[in-house]
Amino acid sequence: MSHDIACRLHAAHDLRIEPLADPQPQPGAALVRVLRGGICGSDLHYYHDGGFGPVRVRQPIVLGHEAAGVVESAPEGSGLVAGQLVALSPSRPCGDCDYCRAGQERHCLNMRFSGSAMRLPHEDGFFRNRLYHPLDQCLPLPDGADAQAAAGAEPLAVCLHALGMAPDLSGQRVLITGAGPIGAICTALARLRGAAQIVVTDVQDFTLGIARRMGADRAVNVAEDADALADLAQGKGQIDLVLECSANPHAIAQAITLARPQATMVQIGVGGTLPLPLNLIVAKELRLVGTHRFDREFAQAVAMIGAGQIDLSPMVTQVLPAAQAQRAFDLAGDRAQAVKVQLDFGA
Ligand SMILES: [Zn+2]
């Protein structure tokens, strides 16, 4: 009798820990025992609101799209062996549509994304003890890497893709709005890429403290001190690059005020319809660029983590046993005390 569990969301605020049936073998897939899963903002939207925008939870769904685990079994010759630590990529493009053929798999028309309620039937995610996962979506890490770090591959891939939308960061003055997990990882990446100054804004001292540990030079609570960034507004603005991770209209407006002419703003935070100061965007000739998920950056993220090139550990603020998923979700939504909360499926 197995004690395997799944964290399945039935409706908003109805997250249940349920026994997990033995996973059904699938061709071209490895059986993976999940060790760690990170709770993401979109998981929280499903949990609190039953979805976001037009995406609604219409049937029970196993949440989770950030995870790492160990291979229990894999087909011979697959390159994966039992006991190997792997990061799981949640992204399964069809490989056949116009976007896939153009090398833009992230825009795939038939995307199956683990833990996403976008399509029917919903695609079950990683918050379960065991699953079969396609071989090419199980990326091995070298010996000595740990599951906590490996579970950070997905958000790191998101940030690598976002930085790919920006000019070279070397010597640049960078503003990062929003010190959640994505803002924290962007901070660490901006440091690695040679940014001259990294300014992070948020409205929570706790998350700003994490941003400092991830490499921020200045971490400013804009709710407490609205004028703290006045020096960066000098002239027409002093910021070369904005990485917008909050989707908050006040933060966006401030970022646009601080941006120098011809600066780039990469919009990473996701929101609905917001007012924007178009006069400033036009007058300063700003480049406003969206960014969506990742493609090859997932493998790049795994390689960076495997080589110890980036330390994401400061942002993992809590690790809870998977059986306490409801508590973990409540905690993850409390930005006064959490940045990234992970579920421990090995506990
Ligand atoms: Zn496709």
Side-chain angles (χ1 to χ4, degrees):
M1 180 68 193
S2 146
H3 295 284
D4 289 346
I5 57 169
C7 305
R8 193 174 278 116
L9 187 74
H10 287 251
H13 291 285
D14 185 4
L15 180 68
R16 303 183 198 171
I17 308 299
E18 298 177 341
L20 178 70
D22 276 338
Q24 292 303 307
Q26 290 168 20
L31 179 59
V32 175
R33 175 166 287 280
V34 174
L35 293 178
R36 285 291 178 91
I39 299 173
C40 167
S42 63
D43 297 317
L44 290 173
H45 279 297
Y46 286 129
Y47 177 64
H48 287 290
D49 311 323
F52 45 86
V55 180
R56 312 310 301 177
V57 173
R58 289 165 285 175
Q59 56 186 206
I61 177 175
V62 177
L63 293 177
H65 57 269
E66 303 176 4
V70 287
V71 175
E72 279 202 349
S73 65
E76 204 134 335
S78 68
L80 294 176
V81 293
Q84 200 164 23
L85 179 66
V86 288
L88 303 178
S89 171
S91 176
R92 275 166 294 156
C94 75
D96 202 36
C97 71
D98 287 350
Y99 297 107
C100 283
R101 286 174 188 276
Q104 299 176 0
E105 290 88 347
R106 62 196 176 279
H107 296 301
C108 173
L109 294 169
N110 312 301
M111 174 66 87
R112 294 174 60 192
F113 200 87
S114 300
S116 166
M118 185 88 75
R119 302 164 66 84
L120 269 179
H122 296 341
E123 200 66 39
D124 274 340
F126 298 148
F127 290 169
R128 44 184 158 160
N129 279 109
R130 295 158 89 219
L131 73 160
Y132 279 93
H133 203 57
L135 291 166
D136 58 356
Q137 306 295 344
C138 300
L139 283 83
L141 286 107
D143 290 344
D146 68 68
Q148 172 173 311
E154 200 271 353
L156 176 56
V158 168
C159 296
L160 286 168
H161 186 70
L163 260 61
M165 297 292 185
D168 182 7
L169 270 71
S170 162
Q172 300 292 288
R173 194 175 278 148
V174 179
L175 171 65
I176 297 171
T177 45
I182 294 295
I185 297 174
C186 282
T187 301
L189 281 176
R191 193 89 277 163
L192 279 176
R193 299 262 174 109
Q197 193 186 11
I198 304 169
V199 182
V200 181
T201 59
D202 201 294
V203 294
Q204 293 282 354
D205 289 335
F206 179 80
T207 56
L208 288 164
I210 301 296
R212 266 185 215 103
R213 292 174 57 199
M214 298 290 283
D217 298 301
R218 289 171 72 180
V220 177
N221 188 327
V222 286
E224 282 175 3
D225 188 356
D227 296 327
L229 299 177
D231 59 307
L232 296 174
Q234 281 171 15
K236 290 189 171 183
Q238 301 291 317
I239 294 293
D240 300 303
L241 171 66
V242 178
L243 301 170
E244 207 300 304
C245 306
S246 74
N248 176 287
H250 301 293
I252 294 171
Q254 181 174 46
I256 288 171
T257 301
L258 301 180
R260 65 158 168 81
Q262 299 205 327
T264 296
M265 178 159 98
V266 183
Q267 184 62 42
I268 311 171
V270 182
T273 305
L274 299 178
L276 286 177
L278 285 184
N279 52 338
L280 287 178
I281 295 174
V282 170
K284 290 187 178 186
E285 303 181 322
L286 300 185
R287 297 172 59 237
L288 176 55
V289 191
T291 178
H292 181 59
R293 290 179 179 162
F294 50 83
D295 290 325
R296 290 148 204 82
E297 293 90 352
F298 193 89
Q300 214 183 320
V302 172
M304 285 181 76
I305 291 167
Q309 288 168 356
I310 189 164
D311 180 14
L312 303 178
S313 62
M315 78 162 188
V316 180
T317 48
Q318 289 90 5
V319 181
L320 273 74
Q324 298 176 26
Q326 288 140 339
R327 221 186 106 218
F329 270 68
D330 288 332
L331 193 55
D334 183 356
R335 306 195 67 246
Q337 53 176 331
V339 174
K340 176 64 74 185
V341 177
Q342 287 190 349
L343 297 174
D344 184 352
F345 284 86

